[in-house]
Amino acid sequence: MDLTIKEIAEVLGSSQTSEQQITNVEFDSRKISAGDLFVPLKGTRDGHEFATYAQESGAIATLWSEDIAKAPEGLFVFFVSDTKKAFQKLASYYRQKLAPKVLAITGSNGKTTTKDMTEAVLAQKYQTYKTQGNYNNELGLPYTILHMPETTEVLVLEMGMDHAGDLTLLSQIGQPDAAAITLIGEAHIESLGSREGIAKGKMEIAAGLKKDGVLFIPVDEPLLSPLIRPLNQKVVTFGLKEGMVQAEVLNTTKQSTEFSINGKNFLIPVIGSYNVKNALVAYSFGHYFGLSDEEIAAGLKNFHLTKDRTQWSKAANGADILSDVYNANPTAMGLVLDSFAELALPGRKIVVLADMLELGKDSKQMHRQMAKHIDDSLAEVYLYGTDMEALYQVLKDSNQDIFYFTEDRKKEMIEAIKRDIQAQDSVLLKGSNGMGLAEVIIALQEKWNEDCKLDESFKLCYTDECAER
């Protein structure tokens, strides 16, 4: 890492003069290694409590906003009024020092997949670094910046939000050269009040956008139209068969989707027209930064998804599992249900849907609306969670097999699914991360037989007669 003690002191208004270089910056004391700067943050526990542990693990410096008399001896100490703000300020400096091109991506759905696609595309020509995992908030974004390699030419930042003002801060720290909004959905509608509030929140990504920068937005989102009018930066729209950048879906299989842009064919290793829209953002970024269609196509064809986003795996009995359980809202759930229904697959199609969280006072109505995405192509539907009962009440008299389980019956649901699914079946699981459908996937991937029972962790399957695992 190209940061010295003296530099940090100058950025934060301290008086240290050492030219010793910092190895890394960490706010988790468990990740500290030799030569690191420790950033104590206040959360459930006050990070200052772990400064000694960080020092024992190899930290040579720390930020400090507590009583000066309690500062650990033997460390370079940077006294600041707020360690989080100092951390963010340091990240802004480091982004300016390394001076990569910065791409920023936000949206109610698809931002992580779009980030993965965009990084794969730009990596065909540039040294790239992207947000790791879901490090996309007021702590994760500065952490990403401070962890990018010194050789980084293009930095791809995912920007998330929970409340109004969140993206303004992130955009001002990142100062993007180009930015994109993937979609306006219902994520965090409980705190933002309406889709109009969400749209305004997403537009905050332009707060730090360079004056000569560009913003890519979906053409089919009318809520954004009045919000882009005050912008001086260039705005480019994208969409399926409409917009300034257009794509036409040609073919969808279980493993891939083929589409065309301006007569050139592209392929992505994921299903769904909604993922073609995500690919249009990656294409637009690539085109903006001078990549050829061939380079963009190579990046899209070989990109790797972050775990649990439309990810295929196998159940122990050979059935196919489509996992999309990292997060959920009505737009995202409807899109993946529609795409799953359109696939030509052997055997039956079975879906397991769990509650979509943080939808506020209209949650039950939004769950009921999922009924329009449940068609006759789905053989069986398992519904799990408090608000999914609203959807069950709509579907229970249909011709399909509909099963409902409350949250205290997860074990029973897992056992029912295991008894039900056959080797040729395909099972889609979709729900908010807090509903724990990942546990269901793990259970389905473990070996079982007709006498299978589950232990309390829901992760191991066993029988009374044997200890087969």
Side-chain angles (χ1 to χ4, degrees), residues 258-333:
E258 187 177 3
F259 59 97
S260 66
I261 303 174
N262 296 327
K264 170 70 177 178
N265 286 6
F266 297 83
L267 184 142
I268 50 177
V270 288
I271 66 168
S273 58
Y274 61 96
N275 275 318
V276 174
K277 290 184 178 180
N278 296 334
L280 277 173
V281 175
Y283 171 90
S284 299
F285 278 131
H287 188 265
Y288 185 74
F289 285 100
L291 274 72
S292 66
D293 281 351
E294 290 70 25
E295 290 171 321
I296 295 172
L300 288 174
K301 183 178 181 180
N302 298 300
F303 93 96
H304 296 287
L305 270 175
T306 297
K307 186 178 179 183
D308 288 331
R309 288 165 169 84
T310 54
Q311 179 183 41
W312 287 100
S313 64
K314 285 283 187 181
N317 72 338
D320 288 317
I321 298 172
L322 181 57
S323 167
D324 195 359
V325 301
Y326 185 79
N327 55 31
N329 57 59
T331 299
M333 185 170 285

Side-chain angles (χ1 to χ4, degrees), residues 339-360:
S339 296
F340 185 63
E342 292 170 1
L343 291 177
L345 299 170
R348 301 173 302 163
K349 295 176 184 176
I350 298 170
V351 298
V352 182
L353 306 178
D355 280 357
M356 301 173 284
L357 305 178
E358 300 181 2
L359 295 182

Side-chain angles (χ1 to χ4, degrees), residues 17-30:
T17 59
S18 172
E19 295 290 348
Q20 186 169 351
Q21 197 159 8
I22 290 293
T23 303
N24 223 330
V25 178
E26 295 287 351
F27 53 72
D28 186 340
S29 61
R30 296 167 296 184

